[in-house]
mmCIF file of all heavy atoms in Angstrom:
data_model
loop_
_atom_site.group_PDB
_atom_site.id
_atom_site.type_symbol
_atom_site.label_atom_id
_atom_site.label_comp_id
_atom_site.label_asym_id
_atom_site.label_seq_id
_atom_site.Cartn_x
_atom_site.Cartn_y
_atom_site.Cartn_z
ATOM 1 N N LEU A 1181 -26.396 44.552 -1.344
ATOM 2 C CA LEU A 1181 -26.561 45.067 -2.868
ATOM 3 C C LEU A 1181 -27.757 44.900 -3.505
ATOM 4 O O LEU A 1181 -27.959 45.444 -4.638
ATOM 5 C CB LEU A 1181 -25.572 44.240 -3.722
ATOM 6 C CG LEU A 1181 -24.022 44.636 -3.413
ATOM 7 C CD1 LEU A 1181 -23.141 43.713 -4.196
ATOM 8 C CD2 LEU A 1181 -23.734 46.121 -3.747
ATOM 9 N N THR A 1182 -28.692 44.472 -2.725
ATOM 10 C CA THR A 1182 -30.171 44.354 -3.413
ATOM 11 C C THR A 1182 -31.034 45.456 -2.725
ATOM 12 O O THR A 1182 -32.083 45.745 -3.057
ATOM 13 C CB THR A 1182 -30.705 42.986 -2.974
ATOM 14 O OG1 THR A 1182 -29.925 42.027 -3.597
ATOM 15 C CG2 THR A 1182 -32.126 42.930 -3.635
ATOM 16 N N GLY A 1183 -30.312 46.267 -1.741
ATOM 17 C CA GLY A 1183 -30.929 47.437 -1.221
ATOM 18 C C GLY A 1183 -31.379 47.386 0.266
ATOM 19 O O GLY A 1183 -31.722 48.296 0.782
ATOM 20 N N PHE A 1184 -31.341 46.115 0.843
ATOM 21 C CA PHE A 1184 -31.665 46.073 2.303
ATOM 22 C C PHE A 1184 -30.643 46.791 3.107
ATOM 23 O O PHE A 1184 -29.423 46.668 2.934
ATOM 24 C CB PHE A 1184 -31.763 44.607 2.669
ATOM 25 C CG PHE A 1184 -32.827 43.910 2.044
ATOM 26 C CD1 PHE A 1184 -32.647 43.088 0.834
ATOM 27 C CD2 PHE A 1184 -34.129 43.910 2.431
ATOM 28 C CE1 PHE A 1184 -33.740 42.425 0.106
ATOM 29 C CE2 PHE A 1184 -35.111 43.217 1.847
ATOM 30 C CZ PHE A 1184 -35.020 42.487 0.718
ATOM 31 N N ARG A 1185 -31.046 47.519 4.056
ATOM 32 C CA ARG A 1185 -30.186 48.315 4.876
ATOM 33 C C ARG A 1185 -30.252 47.948 6.379
ATOM 34 O O ARG A 1185 -29.277 48.373 7.046
ATOM 35 C CB ARG A 1185 -30.485 49.759 4.608
ATOM 36 C CG ARG A 1185 -29.919 50.162 3.299
ATOM 37 C CD ARG A 1185 -29.958 51.707 3.197
ATOM 38 N NE ARG A 1185 -29.250 52.140 1.959
ATOM 39 C CZ ARG A 1185 -29.135 53.391 1.434
ATOM 40 N NH1 ARG A 1185 -30.062 54.257 1.898
ATOM 41 N NH2 ARG A 1185 -28.393 53.654 0.393
ATOM 42 N N ASN A 1186 -31.362 47.587 6.822
ATOM 43 C CA ASN A 1186 -31.578 47.134 8.277
ATOM 44 C C ASN A 1186 -31.339 45.791 8.405
ATOM 45 O O ASN A 1186 -32.209 45.055 8.353
ATOM 46 C CB ASN A 1186 -32.894 47.572 8.699
ATOM 47 C CG ASN A 1186 -33.108 49.238 8.637
ATOM 48 O OD1 ASN A 1186 -32.401 49.944 9.335
ATOM 49 N ND2 ASN A 1186 -34.031 49.613 7.851
ATOM 50 N N ILE A 1187 -29.978 45.454 8.732
ATOM 51 C CA ILE A 1187 -29.736 44.029 8.903
ATOM 52 C C ILE A 1187 -29.087 43.802 10.138
ATOM 53 O O ILE A 1187 -28.238 44.518 10.526
ATOM 54 C CB ILE A 1187 -28.738 43.535 7.733
ATOM 55 C CG1 ILE A 1187 -29.439 43.854 6.250
ATOM 56 C CG2 ILE A 1187 -28.537 42.052 7.813
ATOM 57 C CD1 ILE A 1187 -28.468 43.649 5.133
ATOM 58 N N ASN A 1188 -29.553 42.773 10.930
ATOM 59 C CA ASN A 1188 -28.892 42.203 12.173
ATOM 60 C C ASN A 1188 -28.220 40.908 11.732
ATOM 61 O O ASN A 1188 -28.813 40.199 11.045
ATOM 62 C CB ASN A 1188 -29.772 42.127 13.209
ATOM 63 C CG ASN A 1188 -30.135 43.345 13.980
ATOM 64 O OD1 ASN A 1188 -30.931 44.202 13.294
ATOM 65 N ND2 ASN A 1188 -29.797 43.636 15.091
ATOM 66 N N VAL A 1189 -26.979 40.754 12.300
ATOM 67 C CA VAL A 1189 -26.406 39.389 11.995
ATOM 68 C C VAL A 1189 -25.866 38.783 13.318
ATOM 69 O O VAL A 1189 -25.290 39.542 14.148
ATOM 70 C CB VAL A 1189 -25.212 39.612 10.995
ATOM 71 C CG1 VAL A 1189 -23.999 40.476 11.447
ATOM 72 C CG2 VAL A 1189 -24.707 38.164 10.627
ATOM 73 N N VAL A 1190 -26.186 37.460 13.494
ATOM 74 C CA VAL A 1190 -25.827 36.930 14.775
ATOM 75 C C VAL A 1190 -24.862 35.802 14.392
ATOM 76 O O VAL A 1190 -25.038 34.967 13.509
ATOM 77 C CB VAL A 1190 -27.047 36.281 15.430
ATOM 78 C CG1 VAL A 1190 -26.649 35.502 16.701
ATOM 79 C CG2 VAL A 1190 -28.318 37.291 15.568
ATOM 80 N N ASP A 1191 -23.787 35.712 15.293
ATOM 81 C CA ASP A 1191 -22.804 34.692 15.112
ATOM 82 C C ASP A 1191 -21.997 34.562 16.323
ATOM 83 O O ASP A 1191 -21.371 35.690 16.560
ATOM 84 C CB ASP A 1191 -21.990 34.645 13.842
ATOM 85 C CG ASP A 1191 -21.342 33.395 13.394
ATOM 86 O OD1 ASP A 1191 -20.785 32.703 14.485
ATOM 87 O OD2 ASP A 1191 -21.441 32.865 12.309
ATOM 88 N N MET A 1192 -21.869 33.455 17.007
ATOM 89 C CA MET A 1192 -21.075 33.420 18.260
ATOM 90 C C MET A 1192 -19.560 33.104 17.970
ATOM 91 O O MET A 1192 -18.816 33.310 18.788
ATOM 92 C CB MET A 1192 -21.673 32.410 19.150
ATOM 93 C CG MET A 1192 -22.824 32.472 19.686
ATOM 94 S SD MET A 1192 -23.350 31.129 20.763
ATOM 95 C CE MET A 1192 -23.159 29.770 19.514
ATOM 96 N N ASP A 1193 -19.362 32.648 16.820
ATOM 97 C CA ASP A 1193 -17.892 32.068 16.428
ATOM 98 C C ASP A 1193 -16.988 33.287 16.238
ATOM 99 O O ASP A 1193 -17.239 34.345 15.772
ATOM 100 C CB ASP A 1193 -18.126 31.311 15.102
ATOM 101 C CG ASP A 1193 -17.826 29.785 15.468
ATOM 102 O OD1 ASP A 1193 -17.480 29.518 16.586
ATOM 103 O OD2 ASP A 1193 -18.301 28.990 14.565
#
Side-chain angles (χ1 to χ4, degrees):
Chain A
L1181 286 177
T1182 302
F1184 294 95
R1185 285 186 166 168
N1186 294 298
I1187 305 174
N1188 283 70
V1189 63
V1190 182
D1191 197 314
M1192 293 184 300
D1193 251 347

